[in-house]
Amino acid sequence: MFSEIEISARQRLIRIQRMGLEALYAITATKRCMERASGGYHFCIIGTGFYRFDGATLTLLGTMTSSDTRCTLVIDDNGNVLISDGLDAYYWNGSTLTLLAFPTNVGPVAFLAGYGIYPVPDSGRFYVTGLNALNTVDPLDFATAESNPDPLVRIFTDHNELWLFGTRSTEVWSLSGAADFPFTPYTNAQMERGCRAPFSVASEDNTLFWLGDDDIVYRADGYRPSRVSTHPIERQITGIPEAARALADAFFYTHDGHKFYTLRFPGY
């Protein structure tokens, strides 16, 4: 349920039932990732399989080694796909899925202006792929988040910017196009607020939302984190074990003009 003020002859507070979610396709293996592609279909990672889903049928495109960790994937303008399972990287060129030999372990991947971008797990360092070459990384094409020495947990692209979410801080980088390294930090876009769960970051309403390191849900107001959760919601969040909070993921949907940021905690 959610509340809404109805204005007629007199104002009154009414309660409206939030709609449920409809099951589209039955899957028994672990659902690890889904991203929309051009052409009206989605790429999905389910168990060890990498699939294309057209709304009715799953088509297996390749297999991976890991089977249950959370995955991320990005798609370039040519339809090629870069996948991270949090440790290894895979590349699909339209016909073959290949395990890549990148210089480091690979955190959640992002994409901007022809580059794949990923943080190194448990560090403040992040790498970029070759331009329009998601399957190549120069060992020297890396940078480090500068505002705080905390590890990066997620890099997210929004409005042609890179948002670097750390465990205690967040900073924003822009595309510079420089030959040595194509991104540079904004001088006044550092926030003393980190991210509890890397997959809690979601974009909607021309901004970003995420679960902060203090278990409060924030909305980016420019380059300032603005609290949007309420005390009752925050009590529900802190009632979940810390390890499970770090695994939270989020998505948005809209119902009758109302936008819902929805957090899911696996097992709860």
Side-chain angles (χ1 to χ4, degrees), residues 32-197:
R32 306 170 63 193
C33 179
M34 176 179 282
E35 291 292 341
R36 182 170 184 147
S38 60
Y41 59 86
H42 290 76
F43 287 118
C44 313
I45 300 173
I46 303 167
T48 59
F50 172 55
Y51 296 87
R52 180 168 50 221
F53 181 58
D54 63 5
T57 304
L58 280 173
T59 302
L60 182 65
L61 303 176
T63 56
M64 301 166 55
T65 301
S66 60
S67 61
D68 57 0
T69 55
R70 179 64 190 264
C71 291
T72 52
L73 67 84
V74 293
I75 309 163
D76 69 12
D77 295 335
N78 298 315
N80 302 312
V81 180
L82 176 63
I83 303 168
S84 167
D85 65 3
L87 183 65
D88 292 319
Y90 296 81
Y91 178 72
W92 189 70
N93 63 2
S95 60
T96 304
L97 185 67
T98 306
L99 176 65
L100 299 175
F102 278 178
T104 66
N105 293 339
V106 181
V109 291
F111 179 82
L112 181 61
Y115 296 97
I117 309 106
Y118 68 88
V120 179
D122 301 316
S123 83
R125 180 179 295 187
F126 68 99
Y127 280 79
V128 299
T129 67
L131 178 61
N132 298 318
L134 296 180
N135 58 333
T136 64
V137 171
D138 187 318
L140 298 179
D141 280 346
F142 68 87
T144 303
E146 300 176 349
S147 65
N148 199 304
D150 55 333
L152 289 173
V153 298
R154 186 74 188 269
I155 297 176
F156 203 92
T157 59
D158 186 67
H159 287 78
N160 268 346
E161 297 172 334
L162 293 181
W163 284 64
L164 278 58
F165 291 92
T167 57
R168 298 189 307 274
S169 66
T170 302
E171 57 187 77
V172 183
W173 290 46
S174 64
L175 179 67
S176 66
D180 290 339
F181 194 78
F183 300 98
T184 187
Y186 278 135
T187 302
N188 297 316
Q190 292 87 31
M191 289 155 272
E192 297 299 317
R193 179 56 59 212
C195 180
R196 168 73 71 186

Side-chain angles (χ1 to χ4, degrees), residues 196 211 214-216 230-246 263 265-268:
R196 168 73 71 186
L211 178 61
D214 56 356
D215 298 315
I216 293 173
T230 61
H231 292 307
I233 292 296
E234 290 152 11
R235 283 195 294 270
Q236 293 290 324
I237 292 172
T238 56
I240 295 170
E242 187 170 350
R245 276 178 260 157
L263 274 173
F265 299 90
Y268 291 88

Side-chain angles (χ1 to χ4, degrees), residues 23 229 248:
S229 55

